[in-house]
Amino acid sequence: MSHNHQVKAKKHLGQHFLKDETIAKKIADTLSLNGYKDVLEIGPGMGVLTQFLIQKNVVTHVIEIDAESVAYLKDNYLNLSDRIYERDFLKFDLNLIFKNRPFAIIGNFPYNISSQIVFKTLEMRQQIPEFAGMFQKEVAQRICSKEGSKVYGILSVLTQAFYDAEYLFTVPPSVFNPPPKVDSGVLVLKRKNEYKLPCHEDLFFRVVKTGFQQRRKTLRNSLKTFNLSDNLKANAIFGQRPEQLSVSDFIELTTLIEKDQKK
Ligand code: SAH
């Protein structure tokens, strides 16, 4: 058992330690373990989730920014020691660990960097067939939401272009120490078999991001900076607002813009 003091929660690192082991196990069990041999846990803290991951038939790596948590993990998870990285997930080159191999990501994530965790995952999508874990409920719902929903936005479209996103269950503040002010939500992302888009992918990212910068405006207005021809702007799709467009509509829109720019 633990022969170390509990880690003192630090607010600036988004530390809310999960107390409920049943929920931790449920999160660990969301991984299918298909298509990869390595798993990376972001922000293990005192290892409540890690203890279930290391029982699985995968190699568990953990990345944790907090020195005190790292010391705790090293004392309590001896077999993990050379796979504990005391680093900032957002800044670390993950291929120093994985050398271009595929890996899954999991965690009860630090909520202060939720979107950035998703964006980094999307950038590395060729290596990440699966992603599971806990966010602030609102963010988890946003990632999984469909067009027409109030919370549908950049994260929803970009994630669902490459992944099937499923919201699994809600977790109340009371199971954390200290309790956060918000509900939490667990989700799983499974990369689509066909995850190469049939359009220019960088342009797709720019169209989605620019389109949602002014949510209430029509795409005709918000995409002005793309210097579209009058002929293209007459197309009915430009009369819509970004929140009305599905992922495949955004792909179609990107294809139209791509052709227009080549003229
Ligand atoms: N998974 C643990 C801790 C969750 S709190 C549990 O469920 O109890 C979020 C954890 O992420 C904290 O341990 C925090 O130190 C860590 N963290 C915060 N920012 C990070 C970053 N940029 N890179 C890696 N870990 C980070």
Side-chain angles (χ1 to χ4, degrees), residues 13-18 41-46 48 63-66 69 87-90 108-110 112-113:
L13 295 178
Q15 288 183 336
H16 296 278
F17 299 111
L18 183 59
E41 183 187 354
I42 303 173
M46 286 183 279
V48 66
I63 186 161
E64 171 59 66
I65 201 169
D66 175 35
S69 295
R87 295 297 177 120
D88 180 340
F89 167 76
L90 296 177
N108 163 23
F109 301 114
N112 51 334
I113 56 167

Side-chain angles (χ1 to χ4, degrees), residues 20 28 57 69 104 123 137 188 191 199 207 216 221:
D20 188 323
N57 190 20
S69 295
E123 270 169 34
K137 179 182 178 186
V188 61
R191 198 176 57 200
C199 65
V207 167
R216 308 303 304 162
N221 275 308

Side-chain angles (χ1 to χ4, degrees), residues 71-88:
Y72 181 97
L73 292 164
K74 285 193 169 158
D75 281 346
N76 291 283
Y77 295 88
L78 298 179
N79 298 334
L80 197 64
S81 64
D82 56 348
R83 295 189 307 280
I84 301 174
Y85 310 91
E86 187 181 333
R87 295 297 177 120
D88 180 340

Side-chain angles (χ1 to χ4, degrees), residues 88-99:
D88 180 340
F89 167 76
L90 296 177
K91 293 188 183 147
F92 187 56
D93 175 4
L94 299 179
N95 274 323
L96 295 175
I97 309 176
F98 298 111
K99 320 258 185 242

Side-chain angles (χ1 to χ4, degrees), residues 132 135 196 199:
F135 289 110
K196 298 273 187 294
C199 65

